[in-house]
Amino acid sequence: MRIGVVGAGTMGAGVAESVARAGHDVTVVDPDQQAVERARSRMRDSLRLAILLGRTARPKPAEVTARVHWSGQITDLRAADVVIECVPERIELKEKVFAELDRVCAPGTLLASCTSGIPVARLAASTTRPEQVVGLHFMNPAPLKDTVEVVRGPRTSQQSLDRALALLTSLGKTGIVVGDGPGFLLNRVLMLCIAEAAAAVGDGIADAETTDALFEGCLGHPMGPLRTADLIGLDNVHDTMTALRELTGDDHYRPPATLVALVEAGHLGRKTGRGFHEYR
Ligand code: NAD
């Protein structure tokens, strides 16, 4: 299968690696050459690490990277069977990308979004093929996470849903289907949890270490909400909360001051070495 990925950030690189590991050809489009270079090196590291950790002996990293093509032009996705959009969580940007994909891609191309919470109906409305638009909410890091939240928009056809689920099966992943709506299921709940945890830190109730220790120790969560936010990327968490607040009108999604301050200081979580926690 020929897969297109739009955006070579954290998720675009991870999704492209998952797809290439499964034997599909993938073209990743990002106009930012530095983002492309970072994604290439992240993918090489991730493939080496997988072998070191014994997670996979095959395919060889060189075989995987040979299946990945990098481009700055969205028109290079003309021949893709499926395109997975992974650009930042901003409504107007994603709408623009979907309108472009609709113009560029063949009539049968399935258009998927990795959005954290922008309704599929909204993205589908930017195209002339709403029945071929679906949400594929991969988790980070995509090559390691076996389950994907699959979002069926009000106009997504059964055939498109089946194609999306078959693609995930070919990647060795399981899709769990949910209905459409801001934040879908996971981020509708998770973003409120992160917002409250960050606000509690701001109120001096507990520091970040204590907050996560409670979720991990008392509730058995493998990762507390603030460590999870650091993994997602605090800029992305900020954008997702902002989009959810805009879409729902619910002030509980307003990014709390502690989060805003970290983003403004450039402390974006694991990817910059510091967020709510410090990373070496
Ligand atoms: P990111 O900021 O790391 O990467 C986004 C990339 O998109 C950048 O490299 C940027 O150059 C590129 N881009 C911007 N405009 C573009 C355009 N018009 N065409 C092509 N490329 C363009 O973001 P991310 O963390 O990879 O998130 C991408 C999407 O995945 C978002 O919708 C996010 O909500 C979602 N998501 C993120 C996570 C996570 O943990 N980071 C998890 C699940 C879903």
Side-chain angles (χ1 to χ4, degrees):
M1 221 186 292
R2 288 159 303 185
I3 310 292
V5 170
V6 190
T10 308
M11 293 312 289
V15 168
E17 182 187 326
S18 307
V19 158
R21 272 195 199 184
H24 302 296
D25 274 322
V26 56
T27 300
V28 185
V29 172
D30 197 312
D32 180 345
Q33 193 51 39
Q34 286 185 342
V36 168
E37 288 313 319
R38 279 195 302 272
R40 293 176 91 126
S41 110
R42 202 178 312 133
M43 193 181 290
R44 278 193 299 268
D45 290 347
S46 167
L47 288 165
R48 271 193 226 116
L49 187 67
I51 293 202
L52 280 176
L53 296 178
R55 285 208 186 95
T56 172
R58 287 179 179 282
K60 293 199 175 80
E63 290 171 18
V64 177
T65 50
R67 283 195 281 272
V68 185
H69 313 280
W70 304 90
S71 163
Q73 307 291 334
I74 206 162
T75 44
D76 285 341
L77 301 183
R78 201 168 273 132
D81 300 300
V82 180
V83 174
I84 304 166
E85 167 276 312
C86 301
V87 303
E89 190 75 357
R90 293 201 284 276
I91 300 171
E92 294 76 20
L93 173 62
K94 286 198 191 275
E95 285 177 333
K96 185 174 142 268
V97 169
F98 268 80
E100 270 178 68
L101 287 172
D102 188 41
R103 274 195 299 278
V104 163
C105 296
T109 306
L110 181 68
L111 302 182
S113 176
C114 185
T115 172
S116 295
I118 298 168
V120 168
R122 182 94 185 233
L123 303 176
S126 305
T127 74
T128 57
R129 57 178 100 185
E131 68 289 350
Q132 284 169 232
V133 179
V134 66
L136 284 181
H137 183 205
F138 286 85
M139 302 296 120
N140 179 27
L144 300 184
K145 298 289 179 130
D146 293 338
T147 306
V148 176
E149 186 180 33
V150 178
V151 187
R152 180 177 198 164
R155 295 174 72 185
T156 307
S157 69
Q158 186 61 45
Q159 193 200 14
S160 296
L161 194 65
D162 291 343
R163 284 176 72 192
L165 291 169
L167 171 65
L168 293 178
T169 303
S170 77
L171 306 185
K173 299 191 190 295
T174 304
I176 297 184
V177 181
V178 298
D180 205 13
F184 320 124
L185 187 291
L186 279 178
N187 279 330
R188 177 172 169 166
V189 177
L190 178 63
M191 289 300 142
L192 290 177
C193 180
I194 293 173
E196 282 302 318
V201 169
D203 290 345
I205 306 288
D207 61 14
E209 207 60 55
T210 309
T211 303
D212 282 334
L214 282 167
F215 276 84
E216 291 158 17
C218 295
L219 300 183
H221 291 195
M223 212 185 264
L226 300 177
R227 230 179 284 284
T228 303
D230 281 349
L231 176 64
I232 293 170
L234 299 187
D235 49 347
N236 183 259
V237 170
H238 182 281
D239 287 347
T240 303
M241 286 182 186
T242 304
L244 290 183
R245 182 166 173 242
E246 191 178 325
L247 290 161
T248 61
D250 184 342
D251 267 350
H252 287 105
Y253 289 109
R254 183 201 294 269
T258 41
L259 173 66
V260 174
L262 286 168
V263 172
E264 284 177 357
H267 300 314
L268 305 182
R270 278 199 192 194
K271 60 186 168 185
T272 59
R274 183 169 164 197
F276 286 103
H277 299 276
E278 301 234 2
Y279 303 87
R280 285 175 175 240

